Structure formats: C-alpha cells, structure tokens
Amino acid sequence: MKTLLIRIRNISPAFYYCGLAHFALFALLLIISQFDQRQLMGINLWIKPMKFALSIAIYSLTWPLFLQYLPFERIRKRFINFSVFALTFEMFCIATQAARGQLSHYNVAGLYNSLVFSLMGVVIALQTLFALYIGFLFFKMKAVQIPAALLWSIRLGIIMAGIFAFEGGVMATRLAHTVGASDGGQGLPFFNWSRIAGDLRIAHFMGIHALQIVPLFAFFTGFKNARAVIIFAAVYFVLVSLLLYNAMQGRPLF
C-alpha cells in the first residue's frame, strides 16, 4: 500500500494530496458527529459529508493510476487541476451546508441555498464531462504500452462512471432521490438507502464506482483477456441499469 501511495504521489501530487485530505476530513467529521447530534432527514447531519469525503478520497487516488498511461500531458494537467478544484468545491459546499443545518442537495429554500445547489450541479457536471472526454482520449490509444484488458477496463470504467454520474441530474430535476416516498425515513445504515421505497442513489453510487470496479476485475484476472473485461463491464452496466429501473418503479432494494 505504501508503494502504491508513493506511486500515486509521483504521478499526480495534486490528486494525491486531495485524496489524503479527504480521508483526513472523513476522520475529522466522524469525530465531530460524535459530539454534534443534530439531524437532517432522520440521520446525523454529518453522515452525508462523511460519505462524500470518503468517495472523493477514493476517486482522487484512482485517477492517477489511469492518467499515468495517458500521453496527452497538457490536457492531463488541466483535468487534474480542474478536478481537484471541482471536488474541493463540492465538498466545501456540502460540509458548510451541514454546519448550517441545511441540506446541500435539492435545497431551493431561499436564494443562498438555491445558489449553492445550482453551482454544485454546474461544477460537477463540467467535471464529469471533462472525465468523459478523458475516457474518449483513451479510445484513441492502442494497446501497445499497456495490456488490452487494462486499457478496456479504463475506457469502460470511465464511460460508465460518467453515465451514472449524470443520473444525479435526474435526482436534481426531481429535487429528491427517493421514488414512492419522501426522502428520509428508514434506510440502510450509513448509506441510508431507503428500505421502504425506490432510491436512485443506489445505481448512482454503483455506477460511479465502476471507475474502480471494472479495472479491479482486470487486475484480479491478470490483464490477460480483454474480452472477459468487456463482458464483465457489459454485465455490470446491465445490473446497475436494473438497479436504476427498480428504483424508478418505487421498489426498495433491501
């Protein structure tokens, strides 16, 4: 693990320190949550910032492992810089809104809350589009310097993560992530995914983390079979799509 972190730091110090900072923030928020017992939507209001801090940390430490293979240095640097800004901005909005006792997402009560919600959406949408463009650049590469299975896992992981990241737009237009009930109520511990109705966040989460899951499949299969990676990615896409369909029907998964 130490060797891997050193490698990530050497590839992209910006992503490396962004990832570590968000791991540290997760730990800090966990401590704060033990003393601040305020609740939003039936759970401690610091749980959502903790989830995002952890997700951003993993996201930040994943990208350098892909970008080391991308030969377009200028666009690579621009993507890193903008991504670190976008992720930090989103985390800042989520954490400060929690500190205010306010929802960060779907909150259009008043000018300030509406502005925060809108700016978050614009910034993260631009970052997602940029990530999809990076995925397109990987399609311009040939499997010469890296195994074909790894290359395809990076391509498909980025594309799927981008597609299901934009599912957030569906939730934003609805101003809710629950289908068939109001947001909040009985949910899975920590994740708080609804146990009484459909929850769009499940497919959103699983789809975004295709960025890690598909390349991990390639890694554990030894990067030997590109076809196996493509089939796995296709099956995974179908399963996550079914999660989305199930949620849209208002049916709980758990």
Side-chain angles (χ1 to χ4, degrees):
M1 178 60 71
K2 183 178 179 181
T3 302
L4 180 62
L5 288 175
I6 292 173
R7 184 178 180 184
I8 292 171
R9 184 185 63 191
N10 291 337
I11 298 166
S12 174
F15 262 138
Y16 172 79
Y17 288 111
C18 181
L20 291 192
H22 281 86
F23 272 127
L25 179 61
F26 170 80
L28 176 62
L29 294 174
L30 180 60
I31 295 171
I32 292 174
S33 69
Q34 304 306 306
F35 297 95
D36 187 348
Q37 300 298 322
R38 288 179 296 165
Q39 293 195 344
L40 275 174
M41 310 299 291
I43 60 171
N44 187 287
L45 55 74
W46 294 109
I47 288 181
K48 182 172 184 177
M50 282 194 300
K51 290 191 295 184
F52 273 81
L54 190 58
S55 183
I56 288 173
I58 295 170
Y59 186 87
S60 298
L61 296 178
T62 297
W63 269 105
L65 299 174
F66 301 161
L67 294 175
Q68 64 180 316
Y69 302 115
L70 195 68
F72 309 102
E73 184 175 354
R74 181 177 297 180
I75 196 68
R76 187 173 66 225
K77 288 182 178 179
R78 290 177 178 174
F79 174 70
I80 291 170
N81 291 336
F82 183 74
S83 293
V84 170
F85 159 74
L87 297 170
T88 303
F89 177 79
E90 182 177 36
M91 192 68 246
F92 174 80
C93 292
I94 293 170
T96 55
Q97 285 292 78
R100 296 178 63 238
Q102 295 286 330
L103 292 171
S104 53
H105 291 77
Y106 327 129
N107 189 347
V108 292
L111 178 61
Y112 180 79
N113 292 326
S114 297
L115 182 62
V116 169
F117 177 45
S118 298
L119 286 175
M120 285 174 58
V122 170
V123 170
I124 208 63
L126 290 174
Q127 194 278 332
T128 302
L129 287 172
F130 206 159
L132 285 170
Y133 177 66
I134 296 296
F136 166 75
L137 293 180
F138 272 104
F139 275 94
K140 297 178 67 174
M141 292 178 58
K142 296 182 179 180
V144 177
Q145 295 181 325
I146 60 175
L150 176 59
L151 181 57
W152 273 103
S153 73
I154 294 172
R155 290 168 174 171
L156 298 177
I158 293 173
I159 297 303
M160 274 196 284
I163 290 172
F164 287 101
F166 275 117
E167 186 200 333
V170 176
M171 292 183 270
T173 57
R174 299 181 70 256
L175 293 180
H177 52 250
T178 308
V179 180
S182 300
D183 286 352
Q186 185 181 4
L188 199 67
F190 187 69
F191 292 99
N192 201 40
W193 293 334
S194 179
R195 287 179 167 175
I196 59 173
D199 199 321
L200 299 172
R201 294 175 299 175
I202 302 175
H204 184 61
F205 174 87
M206 297 302 297
I208 286 176
H209 288 289
L211 190 70
Q212 292 85 28
I213 292 171
V214 178
L216 279 174
F217 174 83
F219 174 78
F220 285 117
T221 55
F223 306 130
K224 294 180 180 179
N225 194 330
R227 181 178 296 179
V229 169
I230 294 170
I231 292 173
F232 174 81
V235 171
Y236 188 83
F237 179 82
V238 170
L239 290 176
V240 178
S241 298
L242 289 174
L243 289 176
L244 176 58
Y245 175 79
N246 183 75
M248 292 297 294
Q249 302 308 303
R251 295 192 292 259
L253 181 63
F254 304 97

